[in-house]
Amino acid sequence: MRAQKGVTVWFTGLSGAGKTTVAKEVERILKERNLYVQRLDGDIVRKSLTKDLGFSKEDRDKNIERNAFVAKLLTKNDIITLCSFISPYQEARDKARKEIEEVGGFIEVFVNAPLKVCEERDVKGLYKKAREGKIENFTGISAPYEEPVNCDLELRTDQETVAESAAKVITYLEEHGYIPETKDYTTEEEELITERLNGLGYL
Ligand code: ADP
């Protein structure tokens, strides 16, 4: 039996909310556990797979549709797929869910930090440009963000650390049987196991 079951973890939220940061930390933990994981990130795919697309509603929908297609293929092959896209429209997220649930799991994660906090972080300097009118259709400023109505998990990244947010995702994956649960052994238990394995000649 495989150690992992196919699932897409879909991080949605405003620019600067922490989607990429949390997804990277989740990826690190999963890789450390020798699990197969693939990240799909809006900033990266928009330079390759969807570089022909802009930020109109129509183009945003196409962006999500294409990425959901890729995520579906990965999920079908039991890869833990971590998608970080602003994906501001509920309908587009629901469509992605419907597609991907045909072959595996889909977890909608609302990466939630208030607009004010995201704007203060202004990781990429984009809010400043959007306020100055130098960028059109900027989510939260001049384009809508529809908050999830049926998310599976919410991460308040303005109130919790990256480690806490990532741990919530890992726990969710464990509790829903997508990845094996790791057990933290006590020192006594570890000693007993070592002793037994020694006795059996394995060590
Ligand atoms: P997004 O991918 O949603 O656009 P990023 O991950 O690129 O957002 O940026 C989020 C920023 O917020 C990073 O600079 C990160 O260090 C910071 N940050 C602070 N606290 C958190 C947290 N708890 N979770 C995620 N990011 C956080």
Side-chain angles (χ1 to χ4, degrees), residues 114-137:
L115 176 64
K116 193 171 169 290
V117 173
C118 296
E119 202 167 347
E120 275 163 13
R121 288 178 181 163
D122 209 5
V123 196
K124 299 156 217 159
L126 297 175
Y127 281 98
K128 185 167 178 288
K129 284 192 186 156
R131 288 285 183 200
E132 291 167 355
K134 291 180 185 156
I135 306 175
E136 286 179 357
N137 291 333

mmCIF file of all heavy atoms in Angstrom, residues 114-137:
data_model
loop_
_atom_site.group_PDB
_atom_site.id
_atom_site.type_symbol
_atom_site.label_atom_id
_atom_site.label_comp_id
_atom_site.label_asym_id
_atom_site.label_seq_id
_atom_site.Cartn_x
_atom_site.Cartn_y
_atom_site.Cartn_z
ATOM 1 N N PRO A 114 -5.934 40.114 7.159
ATOM 2 C CA PRO A 114 -6.680 41.283 6.699
ATOM 3 C C PRO A 114 -5.908 42.057 5.630
ATOM 4 O O PRO A 114 -4.663 42.068 5.645
ATOM 5 C CB PRO A 114 -6.822 42.136 7.964
ATOM 6 C CG PRO A 114 -6.558 41.217 9.098
ATOM 7 C CD PRO A 114 -5.658 40.142 8.589
ATOM 8 N N LEU A 115 -6.652 42.687 4.755
ATOM 9 C CA LEU A 115 -6.049 43.483 3.675
ATOM 10 C C LEU A 115 -4.996 44.449 4.227
ATOM 11 O O LEU A 115 -3.910 44.597 3.675
ATOM 12 C CB LEU A 115 -7.156 44.249 2.933
ATOM 13 C CG LEU A 115 -6.700 45.198 1.836
ATOM 14 C CD1 LEU A 115 -6.023 44.434 0.707
ATOM 15 C CD2 LEU A 115 -7.872 46.006 1.288
ATOM 16 N N LYS A 116 -5.337 45.064 5.370
ATOM 17 C CA LYS A 116 -4.432 46.045 5.974
ATOM 18 C C LYS A 116 -3.053 45.411 6.257
ATOM 19 O O LYS A 116 -2.014 46.019 5.996
ATOM 20 C CB LYS A 116 -5.067 46.554 7.278
ATOM 21 C CG LYS A 116 -4.429 47.758 7.868
ATOM 22 C CD LYS A 116 -5.290 48.292 9.027
ATOM 23 C CE LYS A 116 -4.535 49.334 9.816
ATOM 24 N NZ LYS A 116 -3.410 48.773 10.596
ATOM 25 N N VAL A 117 -3.093 44.206 6.788
ATOM 26 C CA VAL A 117 -1.836 43.502 7.120
ATOM 27 C C VAL A 117 -1.070 43.158 5.839
ATOM 28 O O VAL A 117 0.148 43.379 5.742
ATOM 29 C CB VAL A 117 -2.143 42.215 7.937
ATOM 30 C CG1 VAL A 117 -0.883 41.373 8.138
ATOM 31 C CG2 VAL A 117 -2.754 42.575 9.286
ATOM 32 N N CYS A 118 -1.789 42.640 4.843
ATOM 33 C CA CYS A 118 -1.130 42.278 3.566
ATOM 34 C C CYS A 118 -0.491 43.512 2.942
ATOM 35 O O CYS A 118 0.609 43.465 2.398
ATOM 36 C CB CYS A 118 -2.137 41.682 2.587
ATOM 37 S SG CYS A 118 -2.849 40.137 3.160
ATOM 38 N N GLU A 119 -1.224 44.617 3.053
ATOM 39 C CA GLU A 119 -0.731 45.859 2.455
ATOM 40 C C GLU A 119 0.483 46.377 3.212
ATOM 41 O O GLU A 119 1.428 46.902 2.608
ATOM 42 C CB GLU A 119 -1.869 46.888 2.461
ATOM 43 C CG GLU A 119 -1.649 47.945 1.426
ATOM 44 C CD GLU A 119 -2.876 48.809 1.177
ATOM 45 O OE1 GLU A 119 -3.991 48.471 1.620
ATOM 46 O OE2 GLU A 119 -2.699 49.849 0.513
ATOM 47 N N GLU A 120 0.478 46.219 4.518
ATOM 48 C CA GLU A 120 1.649 46.638 5.308
ATOM 49 C C GLU A 120 2.855 45.770 4.981
ATOM 50 O O GLU A 120 3.980 46.244 4.880
ATOM 51 C CB GLU A 120 1.333 46.554 6.802
ATOM 52 C CG GLU A 120 0.637 47.807 7.313
ATOM 53 C CD GLU A 120 -0.056 47.592 8.662
ATOM 54 O OE1 GLU A 120 0.205 46.569 9.323
ATOM 55 O OE2 GLU A 120 -0.882 48.458 9.021
ATOM 56 N N ARG A 121 2.602 44.460 4.802
ATOM 57 C CA ARG A 121 3.711 43.555 4.444
ATOM 58 C C ARG A 121 4.266 43.952 3.070
ATOM 59 O O ARG A 121 5.468 43.959 2.868
ATOM 60 C CB ARG A 121 3.216 42.106 4.361
ATOM 61 C CG ARG A 121 2.905 41.475 5.703
ATOM 62 C CD ARG A 121 2.380 40.065 5.499
ATOM 63 N NE ARG A 121 2.043 39.408 6.750
ATOM 64 C CZ ARG A 121 1.281 38.322 6.836
ATOM 65 N NH1 ARG A 121 0.761 37.792 5.742
ATOM 66 N NH2 ARG A 121 1.025 37.777 8.002
ATOM 67 N N ASP A 122 3.365 44.210 2.167
ATOM 68 C CA ASP A 122 3.669 44.532 0.758
ATOM 69 C C ASP A 122 4.958 43.883 0.254
ATOM 70 O O ASP A 122 5.878 44.560 -0.231
ATOM 71 C CB ASP A 122 3.705 46.052 0.542
ATOM 72 C CG ASP A 122 3.299 46.411 -0.901
ATOM 73 O OD1 ASP A 122 2.916 45.495 -1.666
ATOM 74 O OD2 ASP A 122 3.363 47.593 -1.271
ATOM 75 N N VAL A 123 4.979 42.543 0.360
ATOM 76 C CA VAL A 123 6.158 41.738 0.040
ATOM 77 C C VAL A 123 6.766 42.094 -1.315
ATOM 78 O O VAL A 123 7.981 42.172 -1.461
ATOM 79 C CB VAL A 123 5.784 40.226 0.018
ATOM 80 C CG1 VAL A 123 7.026 39.364 0.076
ATOM 81 C CG2 VAL A 123 4.830 39.879 1.147
ATOM 82 N N LYS A 124 5.906 42.274 -2.289
ATOM 83 C CA LYS A 124 6.430 42.500 -3.647
ATOM 84 C C LYS A 124 6.265 43.956 -4.111
ATOM 85 O O LYS A 124 6.475 44.255 -5.289
ATOM 86 C CB LYS A 124 5.722 41.554 -4.626
ATOM 87 C CG LYS A 124 5.943 40.077 -4.315
ATOM 88 C CD LYS A 124 4.838 39.186 -4.876
ATOM 89 C CE LYS A 124 4.514 38.040 -3.947
ATOM 90 N NZ LYS A 124 3.189 37.461 -4.180
ATOM 91 N N GLY A 125 5.856 44.821 -3.211
ATOM 92 C CA GLY A 125 5.675 46.231 -3.559
ATOM 93 C C GLY A 125 4.485 46.480 -4.486
ATOM 94 O O GLY A 125 4.352 47.561 -5.071
ATOM 95 N N LEU A 126 3.624 45.479 -4.601
ATOM 96 C CA LEU A 126 2.525 45.593 -5.562
ATOM 97 C C LEU A 126 1.356 46.431 -5.052
ATOM 98 O O LEU A 126 0.689 47.119 -5.824
ATOM 99 C CB LEU A 126 2.009 44.191 -5.943
ATOM 100 C CG LEU A 126 3.020 43.289 -6.652
ATOM 101 C CD1 LEU A 126 2.444 41.899 -6.881
ATOM 102 C CD2 LEU A 126 3.434 43.917 -7.978
ATOM 103 N N TYR A 127 1.113 46.408 -3.737
ATOM 104 C CA TYR A 127 -0.002 47.200 -3.187
ATOM 105 C C TYR A 127 0.254 48.688 -3.431
ATOM 106 O O TYR A 127 -0.648 49.426 -3.799
ATOM 107 C CB TYR A 127 -0.200 46.909 -1.695
ATOM 108 C CG TYR A 127 -0.932 45.613 -1.449
ATOM 109 C CD1 TYR A 127 -0.251 44.445 -1.149
ATOM 110 C CD2 TYR A 127 -2.330 45.555 -1.534
ATOM 111 C CE1 TYR A 127 -0.928 43.251 -0.930
ATOM 112 C CE2 TYR A 127 -3.017 44.371 -1.317
ATOM 113 C CZ TYR A 127 -2.308 43.223 -1.016
ATOM 114 O OH TYR A 127 -2.998 42.039 -0.813
ATOM 115 N N LYS A 128 1.507 49.086 -3.208
ATOM 116 C CA LYS A 128 1.870 50.493 -3.399
ATOM 117 C C LYS A 128 1.568 50.893 -4.843
ATOM 118 O O LYS A 128 0.913 51.910 -5.097
ATOM 119 C CB LYS A 128 3.353 50.688 -3.067
ATOM 120 C CG LYS A 128 3.816 52.127 -3.109
ATOM 121 C CD LYS A 128 5.194 52.273 -2.468
ATOM 122 C CE LYS A 128 5.703 53.698 -2.537
ATOM 123 N NZ LYS A 128 6.101 54.107 -3.888
ATOM 124 N N LYS A 129 2.008 50.043 -5.765
ATOM 125 C CA LYS A 129 1.783 50.333 -7.185
ATOM 126 C C LYS A 129 0.295 50.354 -7.502
ATOM 127 O O LYS A 129 -0.170 51.203 -8.273
ATOM 128 C CB LYS A 129 2.478 49.280 -8.057
ATOM 129 C CG LYS A 129 3.963 49.472 -8.152
ATOM 130 C CD LYS A 129 4.541 48.583 -9.253
ATOM 131 C CE LYS A 129 6.056 48.669 -9.256
ATOM 132 N NZ LYS A 129 6.672 47.490 -9.861
ATOM 133 N N ALA A 130 -0.447 49.411 -6.908
ATOM 134 C CA ALA A 130 -1.892 49.344 -7.173
ATOM 135 C C ALA A 130 -2.582 50.605 -6.655
ATOM 136 O O ALA A 130 -3.449 51.178 -7.320
ATOM 137 C CB ALA A 130 -2.483 48.100 -6.524
ATOM 138 N N ARG A 131 -2.188 51.062 -5.454
ATOM 139 C CA ARG A 131 -2.760 52.296 -4.881
ATOM 140 C C ARG A 131 -2.448 53.514 -5.752
ATOM 141 O O ARG A 131 -3.232 54.443 -5.835
ATOM 142 C CB ARG A 131 -2.209 52.537 -3.465
ATOM 143 C CG ARG A 131 -2.734 51.586 -2.418
ATOM 144 C CD ARG A 131 -4.155 51.907 -2.014
ATOM 145 N NE ARG A 131 -4.604 51.005 -0.946
ATOM 146 C CZ ARG A 131 -5.865 50.764 -0.642
ATOM 147 N NH1 ARG A 131 -6.837 51.335 -1.330
ATOM 148 N NH2 ARG A 131 -6.184 49.944 0.337
ATOM 149 N N GLU A 132 -1.268 53.471 -6.374
ATOM 150 C CA GLU A 132 -0.883 54.586 -7.242
ATOM 151 C C GLU A 132 -1.539 54.490 -8.627
ATOM 152 O O GLU A 132 -1.278 55.324 -9.500
ATOM 153 C CB GLU A 132 0.648 54.607 -7.417
ATOM 154 C CG GLU A 132 1.388 54.993 -6.139
ATOM 155 C CD GLU A 132 2.905 54.706 -6.201
ATOM 156 O OE1 GLU A 132 3.365 54.122 -7.207
ATOM 157 O OE2 GLU A 132 3.607 55.055 -5.238
ATOM 158 N N GLY A 133 -2.313 53.421 -8.793
ATOM 159 C CA GLY A 133 -3.011 53.233 -10.068
ATOM 160 C C GLY A 133 -2.109 52.702 -11.172
ATOM 161 O O GLY A 133 -2.465 52.736 -12.347
ATOM 162 N N LYS A 134 -0.938 52.179 -10.771
ATOM 163 C CA LYS A 134 -0.001 51.676 -11.781
ATOM 164 C C LYS A 134 -0.291 50.228 -12.175
ATOM 165 O O LYS A 134 0.249 49.723 -13.145
ATOM 166 C CB LYS A 134 1.448 51.800 -11.283
ATOM 167 C CG LYS A 134 1.918 53.241 -11.188
ATOM 168 C CD LYS A 134 3.348 53.323 -10.686
ATOM 169 C CE LYS A 134 3.764 54.770 -10.482
ATOM 170 N NZ LYS A 134 4.854 54.910 -9.516
ATOM 171 N N ILE A 135 -1.110 49.546 -11.344
ATOM 172 C CA ILE A 135 -1.521 48.179 -11.690
ATOM 173 C C ILE A 135 -3.047 48.146 -11.667
ATOM 174 O O ILE A 135 -3.659 48.595 -10.693
ATOM 175 C CB ILE A 135 -1.014 47.129 -10.669
ATOM 176 C CG1 ILE A 135 0.496 47.223 -10.485
ATOM 177 C CG2 ILE A 135 -1.408 45.725 -11.096
ATOM 178 C CD1 ILE A 135 1.031 46.284 -9.404
ATOM 179 N N GLU A 136 -3.603 47.625 -12.735
ATOM 180 C CA GLU A 136 -5.078 47.501 -12.788
ATOM 181 C C GLU A 136 -5.502 46.143 -12.258
ATOM 182 O O GLU A 136 -4.694 45.207 -12.216
ATOM 183 C CB GLU A 136 -5.540 47.617 -14.248
ATOM 184 C CG GLU A 136 -5.478 49.030 -14.784
ATOM 185 C CD GLU A 136 -5.917 49.092 -16.235
ATOM 186 O OE1 GLU A 136 -6.204 48.031 -16.828
ATOM 187 O OE2 GLU A 136 -5.972 50.206 -16.763
ATOM 188 N N ASN A 137 -6.781 46.038 -11.925
ATOM 189 C CA ASN A 137 -7.362 44.744 -11.519
ATOM 190 C C ASN A 137 -6.583 44.075 -10.399
ATOM 191 O O ASN A 137 -6.330 42.868 -10.445
ATOM 192 C CB ASN A 137 -7.395 43.753 -12.704
ATOM 193 C CG ASN A 137 -8.394 44.180 -13.748
ATOM 194 O OD1 ASN A 137 -9.375 44.869 -13.430
ATOM 195 N ND2 ASN A 137 -8.168 43.795 -14.988
#
